[in-house]
Amino acid sequence: MSKQIQAIRGMNDCLPQDTVKWQWVEAALRDTVGSFGYQEIRTPIVEMTGLFKRAIGEVTDIVEKEMYTFEDRNGDSLTLRPEGTASTVRAGNQHGLLYNQEQRLWYMGPMFRHERPQKGRYRQFHQFGVEVYGLGSADADAEVLMMSAQLWKRLGIEDQVRLEINTLGSSDERAAYRDALVAFLEQHKAQLDEDSQRRMYSNPLRVLDSKDQGVQALLADAPALMDYLGEESKQHFSVLCELLDAAGIEYRVNPRLVRGLDYYNHTVFEWITESLGSQGTVLAGGRYDGLVGQLGGKDTPAVGFASGIERLVLLLDTLGKFDALPSGVDCYVCAMGQGTLSSAMALSQQLRSEAGLKVMTHCGGGNFKKQMKRADKSGALVALIIGEDELQQGVVTVKPLRTEGEQAQVSRDELAATLLNLIKA
Ligand code: ATP
Ligand code: MG
């Protein structure tokens, strides 16, 4: 036998027992964004490499070591999108959706990063995100956070996640702070780990969220960004805090929270769970007023977030939230005996179109035992049996599969109503 080809490491198949979970989560995400009036945007999975380099920043984990970049047949350098914001801004600029307009958008789809695969971290993963353009005020920041809080309620995990927020100020304020931080880090260079030493000049703010314990201890004495903020930035942040307080959303201000991407200013935030080990960030985002201009558009304020769907599914699964998901099949129709097959197929079709039921028809024949086994395996709530007797008398045998009820013969006329009663109960 020849060797089977396997899927690429870190890229997962989503098998039928899992797709039902994904569909449930995706429906909850769609409902939530829909209830806020946001509109969906879909962009290609592949973009010019330069887009991500410019948007995300050359000195970031993503661009330095995580992108799937390859040469197209005509020599262009292309990259599988590692995140959704750069593409959304590119599309917005290209189609004139952003300047002087207000857009509240959402997207969902696969992203690609060449990271070390582990629980909650994959090479193809899926993000759901929202992006708001044309609104520079803190109420927009508050709205996307309220939307995420609403989402946790919808998923039933509001007591499993906590919110951390911070402000990075304007780019000028950040530049002044950066100088002070670099000066501090230079004094303690010997105590920094290798990564932090490398980052201290190229992207010093990233040193703040270093995972190295020694570095974290050292940072207790580092200058604080808050001290470098001007009035406007402070005001923006305090309005956000007031709106969150008024909405009853709890949060912790974490002055070390800087986020991995270069493009953020003012508000940054993360929703974190303790139930997934070290891959605990389930949703992250912030304000990025400079990016639209940086990608060649006219300056447009923007705020958004992205959430990793794998982590949400994992979290919900860990908590047993999928245990009671409906099977997706209402009735399983069996045909037994001469001339019953076409009648069974016609009955199935009638129940689908007239009663709106989810109906699976048995295929492949076989005796009663075999057909009942299949009926059970399908997850259907009831089996419908058409044998030669039923055919002659114009009735169908209805056999409940998940409840104690007795099986009964029901006339064709009353069948739809009987089934709807049974299934709704
Ligand atoms: P992390 O610190 O976990 O690497 P990140 O800062 O790189 O996250 P973002 O780029 O902000 O993450 O992406 C937003 C969300 O997407 C993350 O909070 C996480 O839920 C999810 N995510 C990011 N990378 C992966 C991945 N490789 N596999 C699965 N989910 C991911
Ligand atoms: Mg990452």
Side-chain angles (χ1 to χ4, degrees):
M1 245 185 1
S2 60
K3 199 165 172 259
Q4 285 184 7
I5 295 173
Q6 307 284 313
I8 296 165
R9 198 164 109 85
M11 305 208 179
N12 301 318
D13 297 308
C14 193
L15 302 178
Q17 76 260 23
D18 291 321
T19 48
V20 288
K21 301 172 186 173
W22 278 73
Q23 285 169 359
W24 186 80
V25 173
E26 288 164 7
L29 299 172
R30 285 202 177 90
D31 281 359
T32 306
V33 286
S35 72
F36 280 75
Y38 283 45
Q39 288 184 301
E40 186 182 7
I41 182 164
R42 300 184 187 190
T43 61
I45 283 172
V46 189
E47 297 271 0
M48 301 298 284
T49 301
L51 173 67
F52 301 116
K53 285 197 175 167
R54 249 214 262 174
I56 298 169
E58 298 265 1
V59 198
T60 54
D61 283 351
I62 294 181
V63 173
E64 277 182 341
K65 50 190 186 200
E66 297 175 357
M67 293 207 300
Y68 276 92
T69 297
F70 59 97
E71 203 173 281
D72 195 2
R73 285 182 191 277
N74 58 18
D76 292 334
S77 178
L78 306 184
T79 293
L80 299 184
R81 63 179 184 195
E83 54 105 61
T85 302
S87 310
T88 307
V89 172
R90 196 266 313 136
N93 278 339
Q94 186 173 334
H95 302 286
L97 301 183
L98 305 185
Y99 181 62
N100 254 343
Q101 296 178 62
E102 208 186 279
Q103 298 287 350
R104 304 190 204 196
L105 307 174
W106 69 275
Y107 63 81
M108 176 150 62
M111 307 293 163
F112 303 84
R113 295 184 195 175
H114 197 276
E115 304 193 71
R116 191 170 69 75
Q118 52 195 294
K119 185 181 167 199
R121 192 175 291 288
Y122 311 99
R123 290 181 173 172
Q124 173 175 322
F125 63 102
H126 297 75
Q127 276 184 344
F128 152 81
V130 311
E131 313 287 2
V132 175
Y133 298 98
L135 294 166
S137 44
D139 46 2
D141 309 18
E143 176 170 277
V144 298
L145 283 170
M146 285 165 76
M147 181 194 282
S148 48
Q150 181 60 35
L151 183 60
W152 310 140
K153 277 214 182 97
R154 179 75 165 69
L155 296 173
I157 52 172
E158 67 270 35
D159 54 352
Q160 298 289 325
V161 288
R162 60 185 172 80
L163 174 61
E164 294 198 348
I165 62 174
N166 190 23
T167 175
L168 303 177
S170 68
S171 55
D172 290 347
E173 291 155 6
R174 213 150 22 128
Y177 171 69
R178 185 183 310 225
D179 294 343
L181 181 63
V182 172
F184 171 85
L185 294 173
E186 271 173 340
Q187 281 168 18
H188 301 89
K189 195 166 176 182
Q191 289 151 268
L192 296 178
D193 66 327
E194 206 180 304
D195 250 5
S196 300
Q197 287 199 7
R198 197 169 48 87
R199 286 213 171 105
M200 111 185 205
Y201 297 107
S202 57
N203 194 351
L205 260 66
R206 282 306 305 276
V207 176
L208 293 181
D209 71 354
S210 161
K211 304 257 176 335
D212 187 275
Q213 300 236 315
V215 175
Q216 277 304 326
L218 179 73
L219 288 171
D221 300 322
L225 216 166
M226 282 287 180
D227 298 334
Y228 289 76
L229 298 185
E231 261 326 297
E232 231 180 284
S233 294
K234 282 185 187 156
Q235 177 71 8
H236 187 102
F237 195 59
S238 70
V239 170
L240 170 64
C241 293
E242 279 161 27
L243 289 171
L244 292 178
D245 290 339
I249 296 174
E250 283 175 39
Y251 57 88
R252 186 174 83 91
V253 178
N254 174 2
R256 303 277 167 74
L257 182 67
V258 294
R259 305 283 314 120
L261 314 180
D262 255 1
Y263 48 58
Y264 290 109
N265 66 312
H266 290 304
T267 313
V268 288
F269 53 82
E270 286 187 359
W271 286 91
I272 299 158
T273 177
E274 309 300 335
S275 312
L276 290 180
S278 54
Q279 264 58 257
T281 307
V282 291
L283 185 149
R287 180 161 281 286
Y288 55 97
D289 296 334
L291 185 62
V292 176
Q294 199 177 306
L295 291 179
K298 296 217 176 85
D299 280 342
T300 305
V303 58
F305 66 67
S307 177
I309 304 180
E310 276 79 0
R311 291 187 196 176
L312 293 181
V313 171
L314 256 173
L315 177 60
L316 289 159
D317 225 353
T318 310
L319 299 169
K321 300 280 180 188
F322 296 126
D323 294 352
L325 278 187
S327 82
V329 181
D330 298 321
C331 315
Y332 191 93
V333 179
C334 305
M336 269 164 253
Q338 206 65 39
T340 56
L341 198 53
S342 60
S343 176
M345 293 191 123
L347 174 71
S348 298
Q349 194 44 38
Q350 189 190 348
L351 291 174
R352 288 181 195 116
S353 53
E354 288 170 22
L357 291 170
K358 294 170 194 138
V359 185
M360 213 170 188
T361 319
H362 179 82
C363 288
N367 60 20
F368 182 77
K369 202 173 150 204
K370 175 182 169 187
Q371 296 205 25
M372 279 306 121
K373 237 180 166 167
R374 292 285 163 79
D376 189 47
K377 207 170 166 215
S378 76
L381 304 174
V382 255
L384 304 180
I385 304 154
I386 300 185
E388 289 171 24
D389 288 350
E390 281 92 345
L391 194 59
Q392 244 176 15
Q393 296 164 32
V395 296
V396 175
T397 296
V398 177
K399 182 176 163 58
L401 297 172
R402 317 284 152 195
T403 50
E404 293 298 309
E406 288 288 305
Q407 77 174 47
Q409 294 202 330
V410 180
S411 75
R412 289 284 190 119
D413 296 344
E414 291 161 25
L415 185 61
T418 307
L419 289 173
L420 286 171
N421 257 333
L422 264 177
I423 284 156
K424 264 190 271 162

